[in-house]
Amino acid sequence: MKTMATCTELLEKHAGAWEKATQHRFLDGVKTGKLELSQFYTWLSQDYYFAREFSRTVGAVLAECPDEDYELIHGGLWALWDEVLWFKEKAAERNVSLGVPMQEACAEYVSFLRSIRSEPYNVQIMCLWAIEYVYNVAWKGATPSAPAFETFAARWGADSFTEYTIQLREAADKSMRTLTEDEKKKVEDHFLKIALLETAFWDMAYSSS
Ligand code: HMH
């Protein structure tokens, strides 16, 4: 039996988890300026690891994607390379070390990102959409932000980034038009997992390790 799924349906089904992933005290702190710089730098150095690993996953998805999504995914991969260099630049400007140990929540996300590489394309493209869209919604919600954090909120809140997430959503919806029962369960589980991993990622700024 074939079934289907849509991104909208996933957002509705896991609305509570999605809200936690996109409305967090970290983001409130970005908005008000009450976030400690040391907390922000914890996020920064861990997100640098995230971006490096995510680009490898997107590279794997590019290798397998249907021709109709080739330009979209390649564009995304290109933007991630820019993001990795940008993280290095922002860290250098602020004397933030990118050589700190990887924290557990980041390591967990990294192993999840690796696991996506062997999933079917319909699961992969939904994951790419959810991972980018969660940041788009989260950072837009933190805009306008305090001056210290403006460049960061601007990156993922930008209209061009929003447009990219819309294109990913269209590609994901298209790819999820025919799913096996097993794939349907996988997209739902993966969507929820992404929301939980994102929440834990924000939480990291508040852990002492
Ligand atoms: C944790 N999620 C996390 N970091 C990011 N940079 C993105 C999503 C989007 O690129």
Side-chain angles (χ1 to χ4, degrees):
M1 261 289 282
K2 287 284 182 183
T3 181
M4 65 173 291
T6 64
C7 294
T8 304
E9 205 177 283
L10 294 168
L11 287 164
E12 282 168 3
K13 181 160 186 159
H14 296 296
W18 180 259
E19 197 175 295
K20 288 200 178 91
T22 53
Q23 298 175 25
H24 192 277
R25 59 181 162 148
F26 181 95
L27 297 157
D28 293 340
V30 164
K31 214 171 153 68
T32 60
K34 287 190 180 141
L35 185 70
E36 299 284 342
L37 278 181
S38 63
Q39 292 177 313
F40 188 70
Y41 294 155
T42 296
W43 165 82
L44 178 66
S45 56
Q46 299 298 313
D47 214 40
Y48 169 69
Y49 285 128
F50 176 93
R52 291 186 73 98
E53 198 63 39
F54 187 44
S55 69
R56 290 170 180 262
T57 295
V58 175
V61 176
L62 177 66
E64 302 299 331
C65 76
D67 203 49
E68 62 180 353
D69 290 347
Y70 167 79
E71 292 189 13
L72 175 66
I73 310 289
H74 210 326
L77 184 57
W78 179 83
L80 277 166
W81 174 234
D82 181 66
E83 188 170 306
V84 167
L85 297 180
W86 180 84
F87 267 122
K88 288 171 93 164
E89 194 183 290
K90 297 295 145 201
E93 280 168 16
R94 291 163 175 77
N95 281 318
V96 175
S97 168
L98 291 175
V100 296
M102 192 185 288
Q103 289 197 26
E104 206 176 309
C106 184
E108 226 194 288
Y109 212 149
V110 159
S111 59
F112 175 77
L113 291 174
R114 289 183 181 156
S115 75
I116 294 172
R117 294 174 202 163
S118 52
E119 292 298 340
Y121 183 70
N122 44 35
V123 176
Q124 291 179 333
I125 185 72
M126 186 287 296
C127 288
L128 254 59
W129 161 73
I131 291 170
E132 298 290 31
Y133 188 53
V134 76
Y135 250 41
N136 181 236
V137 174
W139 287 99
K140 254 199 209 158
T143 308
S145 56
F149 310 121
E150 255 167 15
T151 15
F152 297 87
R155 181 168 192 101
W156 292 284
D159 288 347
S160 57
F161 190 68
T162 304
E163 180 54 35
Y164 174 55
T165 68
I166 292 169
Q167 288 176 13
L168 285 174
R169 183 195 284 239
E170 285 168 3
D173 279 343
K174 194 164 181 193
S175 185
M176 294 192 297
R177 265 186 220 155
T178 49
L179 300 176
T180 61
E181 288 292 341
D182 184 50
E183 286 164 353
K184 166 112 175 167
K185 181 161 174 15
K186 264 194 178 168
V187 291
E188 284 176 1
D189 291 350
H190 276 66
F191 180 85
L192 177 60
K193 182 78 181 166
I194 288 165
L196 299 175
L197 287 166
E198 290 287 336
T199 308
F201 208 90
W202 299 126
D203 286 342
M204 249 184 323
Y206 299 86
S207 64
S208 48
S209 65

